[in-house]
Amino acid sequence: MGVLERVNSTDDVSALSRDELHALAAELRSEIIRVCSLGGGHLASSLGAVELTVALHHLYDTARDRIVWDVGHQTYGHKIITGRKDRIDTIRQPGGLAGFTTSSESPHDALTVGHASTSLAAALGMALARDARGDDYSIVAVIGDGALTGGMALAALNQIGHVKPKMTIVLNDNEMSISENVGALNTFMRSLQVQPWLHEVEAQGKRTLGQISQTLVDLGSRAKKAARRFFDPNSANPFHAMGVRYVGPIDGHDIDQLLYYLAHVQELSGPTMLHIVTKKGKGYKIAESDPIYWHGPPKFDASKPVAASKGYTWSSAFGDAACALSSADDRVWVITPAMREGSGLVAYSQKHPERYLDVGIAEDVAVTTAAGLALRGEKPIVAIYSTFLQRGFDQVIHDVCLENLDVVFAIDRAGLVGGDGMTHQGVYDLAYLRALPNMSVAMPKDVPEMRAMLKTALKLGGPKAVRWPRGKATPAPEAPVAAWEELTWGSWEVLKEGSRAFILALGPTVGYALQATADLPEVGVVNARFVKPLDEALLERLARRAEVLITAEDHVLMGGLGSAVAETLVDKGLRVPLHRLGIPDVHVPHGDPAAQHEAFGYGPRALRRTLEALGLAQPTLL
Ligand code: TPP
């Protein structure tokens, strides 16, 4: 029987011998590969954290102690050994386990998470609560070098170094964010190397700082010099300088070293950072050699793993458009907060490196840097996922909209996103952007319209957001930017005339509406591609003609297209029944977006049912 078979709880992990812990790590690694091969998932990060996971669960009781995993995407091993091994095959699948730590899923998940850089502030809060109540449990934050580039993480570190609560911060440094990590702190971390003498210290079982120092003296001067950097609070180390004791770096794949140093650090007062060096994708050759692809691959054949093409997507279309726009105008820049691949910008970063900026996981910095560029006459495009723009909301208002600056927001992953689930749904941006003076928001139905919107937005200036969904797109024929269409900003498009009703559709619901009404001459379809400004003149004409209007959007009902239409109708005194279809007031978990669109009433079949209920279509027999 394998060790994993016997492990049903963290208590079981605590009881394992060293040899069994090594065996458990190997078994977890195979299990993570198997699970990710079935349905895709965060493979490389979970593989890199296997030894850390085993060591933490051996030392800590996670039902009581709090392990706060940053992002929560590296926790497949953690989930398997905290009572979820029987359900691990369902991870990211509809109705299955979430892909990130989720507190409603298990008491062992200290935090519901998915966005980066929250672990340190959350752990600080937990430590303050623990100390205020006089409780006695341990708190460990695990943060990657990528997540550490986030302003939230750095600001929390600043506070932790000031308040000095007892806690361990494991800095899991694999030199990678999703793509190569960036920034000055990253450069500093690269100057540190795991020291071979660490084995000696650990092998001799020395624990107190005095004992360790003596061992190092015995080991000779080279080790002594390195050790000064390792343990000396006065050494030039930015973490020390911020008031957080720093230990490391150590080899994060060496369970013995991990156990030794984690236990050592646990005995110290105040906050201590243990810097561990790991390899993303560790133990799976193909993932080690291409950790960018294997960060979050779709399902694959574990016996013959190959990187598969993701096909032509909306992100590819944006990348192509950005290349063309930058070639046509040397004031166009593209800024990404650590999402080069996801935003379709690999080719752009190579073609226009002088006007490409990856600021790390720092969406706020992306937005305000764009503001700075715009203040000096440049034309920045902030390429950002809808869900991550939430992190830069104040900056959009305060730094871009207040100054009415020429910043284009190229918003990817708008709408329900699938496997990433609750934390990543891009379903709030219409609501939060529509409210801002000077901002306008558009969503194309296809790639030529996306091009037209980006071109027109850059030409008109001012804060302009263009959003598109995750997933496949049909490429537009190659054409120079000069030949791209320009749009009347704020104009809707009647795609299908109707005599009794109109569906006002947006992005993916345009296709759904056309499908649902193909045989219904009385029901028209409008591409309501601008949510702000609305095409008020056209809306008024439709409202005066129709028995009923229906809005359909892949966005929350509160504050989206339907809200905008309702407000305009009321303001203009137009009394026409309005059916608003979209996402109700709930957090939507991971699932198949097409099925979720149906469940929320704006998929093609559900739209048809609404039309039937309104007497606009005959009930279908099937
Ligand atoms: N921005 C935010 C606020 N949250 C996110 N989850 C992302 C972007 C997308 N994202 C997920 S994981 C990741 C990024 C950018 C890289 C994290 O790097 P690191 O913390 O070093 O962990 P690793 O993936 O290398 O294990």
Side-chain angles (χ1 to χ4, degrees), residues 122-398:
L124 168 63
M126 292 177 192
L128 291 172
R130 175 197 60 196
D131 298 344
R133 300 287 145 225
D135 289 337
D136 178 26
Y137 54 87
S138 301
I139 293 169
V140 182
V142 180
I143 185 164
D145 55 308
L148 193 65
T149 60
M152 248 196 104
L154 297 171
L157 206 56
N158 189 38
Q159 194 54 214
I160 289 167
H162 176 63
V163 178
K164 294 195 187 298
K166 180 174 166 59
M167 61 190 277
T168 299
I169 299 166
V170 177
L171 170 56
N172 180 12
D173 175 10
N174 56 21
E175 304 188 22
M176 299 294 290
S177 188
I178 292 178
S179 38
E180 298 81 11
N181 201 8
V182 297
L185 209 50
N186 180 57
T187 308
F188 166 73
M189 287 190 269
R190 300 289 71 80
S191 74
L192 305 172
Q193 265 156 24
V194 174
Q195 299 298 324
W197 50 265
L198 289 174
H199 278 291
E200 292 291 328
V201 174
E202 175 247 313
Q204 294 181 23
K206 305 298 189 204
R207 272 306 251 287
T208 67
L209 281 179
Q211 285 174 334
I212 291 170
S213 308
Q214 189 53 50
T215 313
L216 295 171
V217 170
D218 297 344
L219 283 169
S221 64
R222 257 191 64 230
K224 236 182 357 189
K225 207 165 139 221
R228 207 169 303 136
R229 199 166 196 182
F230 196 85
F231 284 118
D232 182 355
N234 298 317
S235 72
N237 176 300
F239 306 113
H240 272 313
M242 288 177 84
V244 175
R245 188 187 294 106
Y246 170 89
V247 175
I250 67 165
D251 178 352
H253 296 302
D254 182 331
I255 292 184
D256 300 304
Q257 268 196 48
L258 280 169
L259 288 174
Y260 175 81
Y261 284 99
L262 281 168
H264 162 64
V265 161
Q266 184 57 35
E267 286 170 16
L268 305 173
S269 61
T272 305
M273 175 180 282
L274 178 63
H275 182 178
I276 74 170
V277 173
T278 59
K279 194 157 188 54
K280 204 159 173 171
K282 176 74 177 176
Y284 199 43
K285 229 186 239 143
I286 194 164
E288 283 190 21
S289 61
D290 184 4
I292 296 179
Y293 176 83
W294 296 93
H295 173 87
K299 68 178 177 185
F300 56 93
D301 179 350
S303 62
K304 279 192 276 119
V306 279
S309 161
K310 288 184 178 153
Y312 199 81
T313 61
W314 281 95
S315 315
S316 327
F318 167 66
D320 289 348
C323 282
L325 290 162
S326 256
S327 298
D329 182 345
D330 71 2
R331 290 168 302 164
V332 173
W333 293 62
V334 177
I335 304 178
T336 173
M339 299 305 288
R340 183 181 66 196
E341 282 70 21
S343 297
L345 291 171
V346 174
Y348 183 95
S349 69
Q350 291 155 356
K351 201 165 172 196
H352 297 290
E354 73 292 354
R355 279 174 285 131
Y356 165 78
L357 193 61
D358 175 354
V359 294
I361 306 178
E363 291 77 10
D364 44 1
V365 174
V367 175
T368 303
T369 304
L373 282 164
L375 280 165
R376 304 308 300 158
E378 305 293 317
K379 293 187 176 176
I381 300 176
V382 178
I384 195 160
Y385 285 18
S386 168
T387 190
F388 300 142
L389 184 55
Q390 291 160 200
R391 281 283 174 90
F393 183 51
D394 178 63
Q395 287 72 13
V396 174
I397 303 172
H398 178 270

Side-chain angles (χ1 to χ4, degrees), residues 7-163:
V7 169
N8 294 307
S9 69
T10 54
D11 285 349
D12 296 337
V13 183
S14 306
L16 296 177
S17 68
R18 287 291 167 106
D19 285 349
E20 287 170 323
L21 291 175
H22 288 116
L24 176 62
E27 289 174 38
L28 274 180
R29 191 157 266 129
S30 312
E31 184 62 355
I32 291 166
I33 295 167
R34 188 190 66 77
V35 168
C36 288
S37 75
L38 295 177
H42 283 116
L43 175 71
S45 304
S46 286
L47 289 178
V50 159
E51 286 78 14
L52 176 64
T53 303
V54 168
L56 287 172
H57 283 290
H58 184 66
L59 290 174
Y60 293 98
D61 169 9
T62 48
R64 188 168 162 275
D65 298 323
R66 300 286 75 191
I67 296 182
V68 188
W69 299 93
D70 207 283
V71 187
H73 64 319
Q74 70 289 66
T75 55
Y76 286 38
H78 159 82
K79 292 199 179 209
I80 291 169
I81 59 181
T82 51
R84 285 168 275 183
K85 72 177 171 195
D86 295 343
R87 284 184 295 152
I88 195 69
D89 286 5
T90 70
I91 198 161
R92 293 171 64 90
Q93 304 304 314
L97 295 178
F100 305 92
T101 45
T102 305
S103 55
S104 60
E105 191 177 285
S106 166
H108 299 276
D109 290 7
L111 198 65
T112 296
V113 68
H115 286 199
S117 318
T118 63
S119 63
L120 300 186
L124 168 63
M126 292 177 192
L128 291 172
R130 175 197 60 196
D131 298 344
R133 300 287 145 225
D135 289 337
D136 178 26
Y137 54 87
S138 301
I139 293 169
V140 182
V142 180
I143 185 164
D145 55 308
L148 193 65
T149 60
M152 248 196 104
L154 297 171
L157 206 56
N158 189 38
Q159 194 54 214
I160 289 167
H162 176 63
V163 178

